[in-house]
Amino acid sequence: MRKPLIVGNWKMYKTITEAVAYVDRIKAQLPPADQVEVELAVPTLFLQSLVERTRGTNLKIAAENCFYQDEGAFTGETSPVALRELGIKHVILGHSERRRLFYESDAVVNQKVHAALQAGICPLLCVDETMKRQVQGDRVQWVVSQVLTGLAGVTAAQLPRVTLAYEPSWAIGAGKAAATPSEANEGCYLIRQTLARLYGESAAARVRILYGGSVNQTNLPALLAQSDIDGVLIGRASLDPAVFLQMVAVAQQIMNGNDEGSSK
Ligand SMILES: O=C[C@H](O)COP(=O)(O)O
C-alpha cells in the first residue's frame, strides 16, 4: 500500500525566524508517520536548524535542490553529500521553476538524480508539463520523455527510493487554476504507465506519485481520492502553518477511509 505523502515546498519564502516559528508550531501536531508522511522542502539556509528542531517528530525536512557533483569549484551550489551529513533524506529535483528559470535540462536533472541516490538521498523527481492541456499528443510526449530521461540509468533496485511528482506548470502559482482531479490523475497515471514500461507493473505500483499545482484545502480531498495520486506537493498553501496542518489532517482522514477498502 502506498502511504500518503504531503510535501510543502516553501520555495524562496520565509526568513529563519519565520521558519523556526512555523516548524515549532506544527511539529507536535502531526499524525503518526504510519498514517501520513509529512515533509517541508525549505531553502538551504534553514536546513540544519530545522532538521535539529524536528528530530524525533513526523515532520521531515527536505531540500529544494542539490548539485550533481559531491564537491568542487561550483560557486553557490549545494553538495548532496553535505545534505546527507545534515540528515536530509529527500531532495526535490527538476522542479519546473528550476527547469524554466535556471535552464536545467533533462540531462542535468538526470545527473542530479544519480548524484542524490549515490549520496544516499531520495529524489523527488518533478515532471513538468508546459504544453496546453488541450494538446494531448504533446502532453503525453512531454511527460513520458521527462520520466525516461530523468530516470535514465536508475536501476530497479534504486527505484523504490524515488518519488515522482506530476507538476504541470500551467497549474502552478498565483492566478493559475489547478488541474482537475481527473486531469491530475491522468498525468500521474501516465507517469506510472511509463514506470511500468521501464521496471514492470508491480515495481511501478509501489512508487509514490504526487500531484502539484495550486493544491489547496478545497481541492485536496478530490485529488487524494484519485487512484494514482499518492500525495501532493503544495506551494503557496503550505506557507500558512494553520492551512498546512488542516491539509495534513484531511490526508489523514482519507487514509483512515482507505483502510476500510481502497486498493491504493
Ligand atoms: O512545488 C510546488 C508547486 O510548484 C506548486 O506550487 P503552488 O501550489 O503554489 O501552485
Side-chain angles (χ1 to χ4, degrees):
M1 183 153 177
R2 303 189 300 263
K3 204 183 307 165
L5 173 61
I6 306 296
V7 184
N9 177 14
W10 282 358
K11 307 189 179 186
M12 199 183 74
Y13 288 98
K14 301 196 183 294
T15 64
I16 185 66
T17 308
E18 293 165 344
V20 165
Y22 181 121
V23 161
D24 285 351
R25 175 163 169 200
I26 74 163
K27 65 184 180 186
Q29 298 189 56
L30 298 169
D34 62 355
Q35 294 188 13
V36 51
E37 290 178 20
V38 183
E39 295 185 11
L40 282 176
V42 305
T44 312
L45 266 178
F46 311 159
L47 287 170
Q48 180 166 17
S49 167
L50 297 189
V51 165
E52 284 167 6
R53 298 186 93 82
T54 52
R55 219 163 255 136
T57 75
N58 180 25
L59 179 57
K60 302 299 171 220
I61 301 300
E64 296 180 9
N65 184 32
C66 72
F67 196 54
Y68 55 75
Q69 297 278 350
D70 292 347
E71 65 178 8
F74 305 109
T75 303
E77 290 294 341
T78 304
S79 157
V81 169
L83 290 179
R84 187 71 191 92
E85 191 184 296
L86 282 186
I88 301 296
K89 301 210 173 61
H90 289 95
V91 60
I92 295 177
L93 295 175
H95 192 281
S96 62
E97 287 149 17
R98 299 292 319 172
R99 294 177 189 265
R100 178 169 47 88
L101 299 171
F102 302 96
Y103 310 107
E104 286 189 9
S105 64
D106 288 337
V108 163
V109 173
N110 177 249
Q111 283 181 283
K112 291 185 172 195
V113 166
H114 282 286
L117 287 168
Q118 189 67 33
I121 297 181
C122 301
L124 198 179
L125 173 62
C126 295
V127 174
D128 185 16
E129 181 192 304
T130 55
M131 292 291 171
K132 287 202 170 69
R133 60 188 102 174
Q134 293 90 334
V135 190
Q136 279 297 324
D138 285 334
R139 172 190 204 177
V140 171
Q141 193 186 331
W142 266 89
V143 171
V144 170
S145 79
Q146 280 182 53
V147 176
L148 295 177
T149 52
L151 294 181
V154 171
T155 65
Q158 291 172 316
L159 185 67
R161 294 170 51 208
V162 177
T163 301
L164 289 102
Y166 170 61
E167 285 238 325
S169 46
W170 48 258
I172 293 175
K176 303 279 176 60
T180 64
S182 67
E183 284 171 333
N185 197 54
E186 274 171 31
C188 294
Y189 176 67
L190 190 50
I191 292 173
R192 201 176 304 285
Q193 276 186 312
T194 311
L195 294 177
R197 267 172 54 197
L198 291 170
Y199 300 98
E201 295 276 346
S202 74
R206 288 194 292 273
V207 174
R208 281 193 295 199
I209 303 176
L210 315 184
Y211 165 72
S214 298
V215 178
N216 57 38
Q217 290 157 287
T218 308
N219 59 26
L220 181 65
L223 288 166
L224 290 181
Q226 301 297 309
S227 59
D228 281 286
I229 299 179
D230 305 315
V232 284
L233 185 50
I234 310 167
R236 279 160 300 155
S238 73
L239 294 174
D240 181 328
V243 171
F244 189 64
L245 272 178
Q246 282 167 17
M247 293 172 88
V248 170
V250 167
Q252 183 189 17
Q253 282 162 16
I254 289 171
M255 172 67 188
N256 289 337
N258 281 346
D259 284 337
E260 291 157 21
S262 164
S263 58
K264 255 209 265 188

